[in-house]
Amino acid sequence: MTLDDDVRIARAAGRQSYGSQLAAAARRYPDRIALQLDDVRLTYPQLDRRVTKLARALAARGVGLGDRVAVLMRNRLETVQAYYAGLRLGAIVVPVNFRLVAAEVRYVLSDSGCAAVIVDAACAGVAAEAIDGLDPSPVVLATDGAEHHFRHADSFEAAVAQESDEPLCIDVDEGEPAFIMYTSGTTGRPKGAVLSHRNLTTVALLTSMSTGAVPEDQTSLLGVPMFHIAGVGSILPRLLTGARIVVYSPAVFDPVAIVDLLEREQVTNCFFVPSQWQAICALPGIKDRNLALRRIGWGAAPAQPSLLEALASTFPQAPAFTAFGQTETSATICLLRGEDALRKPGSVGQPLYGVEARIVDDDLNDVAVGEVGEIVYRGPTVMREYWNNPKATAEAFAGGWFHSGDLCRKDEDGFIWVVDRKKDMIISGGENIYCAEVEAAIDAHAKVAEVAVIGVPHEKWGQTPLAVVTALDPADPPTEAEIIEHCRGLLASYKKPTAVVVIDAMPRTASGKIQKYALRDRFSRQPEPRVPDQQPSP
């Protein structure tokens, strides 16, 4: 053995990639249940062996270090296995939103240059349409007999069954990419935030430490979509402490079914967006249920003070933690602990340990306490870059800090409040909708001259998109139905406008830009947008 070999082995011994954490957990918790969905349970060693076999199946099909593996699945045990199998190989996992239409999925697959796609039966039709014509064509593994949707695909289970569970020894540096998480950009095209193994492992350790997670009281419900950064970021912190993760799989949120599940499985830890917590707290008899909750979390959208009071009243034994962040910061960047929720109503808390946050003006100068500025970050949870987008990366890291696009203020105790967003974004039921992406779709309609999309208040979802358009021919303006139908094949359902207003001319600044604030002032009191079935249930 050479000196170089000795150095390489020594370096490998000091590494703990995101993927290797599962193998470590399997050795640490040999008798515990790791994952559960309905009546199916996998212990930590069983999950680890399944991941190894799937990783070997991918390797046998040519997937290796740095290759991209797209995962288009609903919440299921195989989704977790697919994530960890890709990471174990040193590949880069690309979670794909299962609500996207084929054109949107195709863009993600093409932009990431995926070498493989792992898909379930529910998403197979969309995936097959998206993959058709891609060159080179990716390897496809499909569950539940969905192989017939594709020209060339293998059975997920058959592929796993054929492989050995002999441990894989692949040295993956913590600084290498682990995930590419696509988040819509203001240009109308999604951007891929590249998160490293170090990013995700660090945020898992910091959130576990900050919330006081311990193995003795952890049965965790994973109820947010796993394609979302909140879903990805919820897995490893639980596995680090030997928790049992109960997976909630229905595509539509059902508060009655959720509470039944919380009670039946004696869940101690769960996270929902505010609209979901609102539905749970409103259930008749909720305070009389035999629940074991010891900590609860909310995030992804603002919560009204009335909801925070309802949470404290409904679950007095369970401190409510507020998680604030974004995809580019590996999910959580600030945390509001339960004891501060009512003392600092509306705050998103303070930065995690080890993360620097400043509130600055346009010249990157700190603003005074209480004044509004953009919050910028620096630390080990901040993404590496935007995939294949050096211009957007340079803009995001101007001045050596990551620019969040969020306008915030800070009080004298260091607690942070989000005031507004510099980025033009709507949060509807916990899902981010970027106006530029919706506008690009509507602008392609033959009858539309101009379009501006704004968020209007909605009692249940927080906000929904309203499209304000001018007609190319004022004598023949587009109808609301025409616009919404036009968007059906271009945008995921939750992104489509729920109402359309035709006006004669757009309000403009002196330089000719559309004044969206004027549109918000004019239409913020519109009647509740129609088409309620379009809204998401994260």
Side-chain angles (χ1 to χ4, degrees), residues 289-307:
R289 300 296 290 265
N290 180 29
L291 301 179
L293 293 173
R294 297 196 185 186
R295 63 177 60 80
I296 57 180
W298 64 269
Q304 298 299 321
S306 60
L307 175 58

Side-chain angles (χ1 to χ4, degrees), residues 2 95 106 112 129 175 213 284 317 362 386 476 485 510 518 520 533:
T2 67
R106 174 188 285 269
S112 63
E129 184 180 346
Q317 80 288 359
D362 289 341
Y386 286 116
D476 184 24
E485 180 58 30
R520 292 189 187 98
D533 61 313

Side-chain angles (χ1 to χ4, degrees), residues 253 255 259 272 274-287 296 306-315:
F253 179 80
V259 172
F272 295 113
S275 60
Q276 294 172 333
W277 277 121
Q278 188 175 39
I280 290 171
C281 290
L283 288 176
I286 182 64
K287 294 182 181 180
I296 57 180
S306 60
L307 175 58
L308 299 180
E309 292 170 2
L311 285 172
S313 172
T314 306
F315 309 107

